[in-house]
Amino acid sequence: QRTWERVMLASSLDHVVVATDDEKIAECCRGFGADVIMTSVSCQNGSERCCEALQKLRKHYDIVVNIQGDEPLIEPEIIDGVVMALQRAPDAVFSTAATALKPDDAFDTNRVKCVVDNQGYAIYFSRGLIPFNKSGKVNPHFPYLLHLGISGFDSKFLKIYPQLAPTPLQLEEDLEQLKVLENGYKMKVIKVDHDAHGVDAPEDVQKIEALMRARNIQ
């Protein structure tokens, strides 16, 4: 619900839906006023779920944004920035966001790291620390990037995505965005200032609640 409330504040979105295969989630979301689309349990990831939801909507959208439900502190400005980045990069089919990685999260495999080229296009994503130096330690002076749980898709590409066979790097890292890069498509990454992360594990709940208290978010 918190994620949905934040997403509804984004000015770039025409329609917000919760796509899920779980009736409990659907019932809860309908209870607070969200539009819900039931999707198949066979969806392998959020991108495939978005593709199915788009087909069921039977409406044309130029861009589809996948915002993971475990991002209760996502800023509406980040969503708008991801949409704008894709609109301004006609050679890209995918856009996403990254922020500064905290040293404490360097070796946490739930925190996905990314590296970009000097034009702001993604080079790689990893659950490991990238780049990795010879010392094997975190370099306190290097601006490591943490990938955030938001993705913008060109809607034409989103329809192609599920038809692409899983790729070796995607399977090894268990990161759906790597299938995009391995197939030679371009991905734009915007750098944002965002100090909260998703709720990836039970112990993250306490961290997020502490952040909310600090910001006086009810």
Side-chain angles (χ1 to χ4, degrees), residues 163-175:
Q163 299 164 23
L164 299 171
T167 51
L169 295 174
Q170 174 204 358
L171 294 173
E172 185 63 21
E173 294 260 16
D174 189 23
L175 295 174

Side-chain angles (χ1 to χ4, degrees), residues 32-124:
F32 59 71
D35 285 343
V36 177
I37 289 184
M38 297 305 294
T39 52
S40 168
V41 293
S42 65
C43 291
Q44 297 294 306
N45 50 51
S47 305
E48 291 187 11
R49 200 171 301 285
C50 281
C51 182
E52 185 181 337
L54 179 63
Q55 289 169 338
K56 289 187 171 178
L57 279 170
R58 298 176 183 274
K59 287 179 73 177
H60 174 73
Y61 295 97
D62 295 320
I63 291 172
V64 176
V65 187
N66 176 17
I67 300 135
Q68 294 176 12
D70 62 2
E71 292 278 347
L73 295 181
I74 191 80
E75 282 99 344
E77 297 80 12
I78 292 177
I79 299 167
D80 293 335
V82 165
V83 171
M84 196 180 299
L86 196 51
Q87 289 171 329
R88 292 179 175 177
D91 56 344
V93 297
F94 188 112
S95 60
T96 189
T99 191
L101 176 72
K102 295 173 183 167
D104 290 353
D105 292 334
F107 297 105
D108 185 338
T109 55
N110 285 317
R111 307 284 177 257
V112 177
K113 297 82 178 173
C114 73
V115 287
V116 299
D117 67 17
N118 56 16
Q119 302 296 314
Y121 291 95
I123 297 173
Y124 193 63

Side-chain angles (χ1 to χ4, degrees), residues 100-203:
L101 176 72
K102 295 173 183 167
D104 290 353
D105 292 334
F107 297 105
D108 185 338
T109 55
N110 285 317
R111 307 284 177 257
V112 177
K113 297 82 178 173
C114 73
V115 287
V116 299
D117 67 17
N118 56 16
Q119 302 296 314
Y121 291 95
I123 297 173
Y124 193 63
F125 296 84
S126 180
R127 294 185 181 279
L129 183 64
I130 51 173
F132 195 72
N133 60 52
K134 285 182 179 178
S135 76
K137 296 174 184 172
V138 177
N139 177 355
H141 306 296
F142 191 88
Y144 298 102
L145 290 175
L146 169 72
H147 181 230
L148 301 180
I150 177 170
S151 310
F153 289 93
D154 176 276
S155 62
K156 296 188 197 76
F157 173 73
L158 182 58
K159 290 170 185 172
I160 295 169
Y161 180 89
Q163 299 164 23
L164 299 171
T167 51
L169 295 174
Q170 174 204 358
L171 294 173
E172 185 63 21
E173 294 260 16
D174 189 23
L175 295 174
E176 59 189 288
Q177 63 270 34
L178 289 176
K179 183 163 80 164
V180 182
L181 296 180
E182 281 184 272
N183 277 285
Y185 293 98
K186 297 199 91 162
M187 186 184 303
K188 194 76 172 178
V189 180
I190 61 166
K191 294 178 184 177
V192 298
D193 185 16
H194 178 76
D195 63 358
H197 50 68
V199 184
D200 299 309
E203 56 268 24

